[in-house]
Amino acid sequence: MTSPATTDTPFVIAVDGPAASGKGTIARALADHYGLPHMDTGLLYRAVALNLFRFGGDPGNELEAVRACDLSVISFDDDELRSEIVGSYASRISAYPAVRAHLLERQRSFAAQAGGAVLDGRDIGTVIAPDATAKLFVTAAPEVRATRRLAELIKRGMNVHYDEVLADIHARDERDSGRDAAPLVQADDALLLDTSDMDVDQAIAAALALVEARLAAVTR
Ligand code: DC
């Protein structure tokens, strides 16, 4: 299906939510469905984190994190971007306003491209694309997210335990929601999608139905 974008109003879908909520899978499926480009904004923070990790920097030091914002040396295909340590560093360095400021323009211009776009992250509907056509806030119970994340890590050959993964999910939720700079929060006009009791296909179908309902409401 082609995107319902017009020249004056690019069709932008903002997908926010906590770690391992399924927002990335949903955002990619929506992008495929509407023929829109997709940006996983978490990868930008992960790229800064990986840079910092590689030069032995301290995620507790804002200046060192800012020095790691030069992403010219990072490949977005690098598997290490998806590692748990990099995710945990990313959650810490993303609390720094100066790091967020470095990554802002790249995300805003992606969202503003003429044909429209789908972006997923934590602050898309609130900061990056506050005028998005449709905003979803995707969530699931922490235990469900931990179970999904554990299955993913085991599939990648990692030796991890449920309790560690759940503790990490709780720590990330607290950091991502508790920070002052662009915290994870549901935008007032975002549609809530709780995927706790859904499999992947059901979650995608539910997301699509919400976006279609929103489109019907705005074009009425
Ligand atoms: O979605 P993810 O797990 O790949 O994101 C990694 C970290 O990056 C997450 O813990 C918080 C941060 N992040 C953010 O602060 N804002 C975004 N738009 C996307 C991610």
Side-chain angles (χ1 to χ4, degrees):
M1 185 174 168
T2 51
S3 135
T6 68
T7 42
D8 345 311
T9 55
F11 177 39
V12 176
I13 306 178
V15 184
D16 289 302
S21 57
K23 63 185 185 309
T25 305
I26 286 173
R28 274 190 300 276
L30 291 172
D32 276 357
H33 181 83
Y34 292 109
L36 294 170
H38 166 239
M39 177 183 264
D40 168 359
T41 63
L43 272 186
L44 297 175
Y45 293 92
R46 285 173 179 266
V48 175
L50 180 57
N51 232 351
L52 183 71
F53 181 68
R54 286 202 173 139
F55 73 63
D58 173 9
N61 182 317
E62 181 164 7
L63 279 180
E64 290 185 19
V66 169
R67 272 179 47 215
C69 284
D70 170 12
L71 300 184
S72 55
V73 291
I74 293 285
S75 155
F76 284 97
D77 294 327
D78 194 322
D79 274 350
E80 249 195 291
L81 288 171
R82 311 260 176 210
S83 71
E84 285 304 276
I85 178 77
V86 168
S88 151
Y89 266 46
S91 167
R92 294 179 66 187
I93 57 92
S94 61
Y96 299 132
V99 168
R100 305 198 72 82
H102 269 277
L103 302 178
L104 186 73
E105 200 36 53
R106 199 163 171 156
Q107 298 171 79
R108 284 236 169 108
S109 48
F110 191 89
Q113 60 191 297
V118 181
L119 294 90
D120 73 82
R122 302 289 188 291
D123 62 341
I124 308 304
T126 50
V127 174
I128 303 298
D131 299 327
T133 322
K135 300 181 186 178
L136 300 184
F137 191 84
V138 181
T139 189
E143 294 74 15
V144 173
R145 291 187 278 131
T147 303
R148 289 177 187 161
R149 176 56 56 91
L150 180 69
E152 198 184 303
L153 293 171
I154 289 174
K155 212 161 103 189
R156 279 199 257 140
M158 293 166 89
N159 182 18
V160 277
H161 294 282
Y162 174 81
D163 290 349
E164 287 168 57
V165 179
L166 181 61
D168 181 63
I169 293 267
H170 279 305
R172 284 233 252 152
D173 283 358
E174 234 171 85
R175 274 200 298 268
D176 294 350
S177 309
R179 68 185 180 216
D180 292 331
L184 169 68
V185 62
Q186 182 179 349
D188 290 342
D189 51 351
L191 304 162
L192 181 67
L193 176 56
D194 185 333
T195 67
S196 298
D197 298 319
M198 298 177 186
D199 64 22
V200 175
D201 290 344
Q202 289 169 328
I204 291 171
L208 203 51
L210 288 174
V211 173
E212 285 294 311
R214 174 78 191 140
L215 280 176
V218 292
T219 54
R220 209 174 4 213

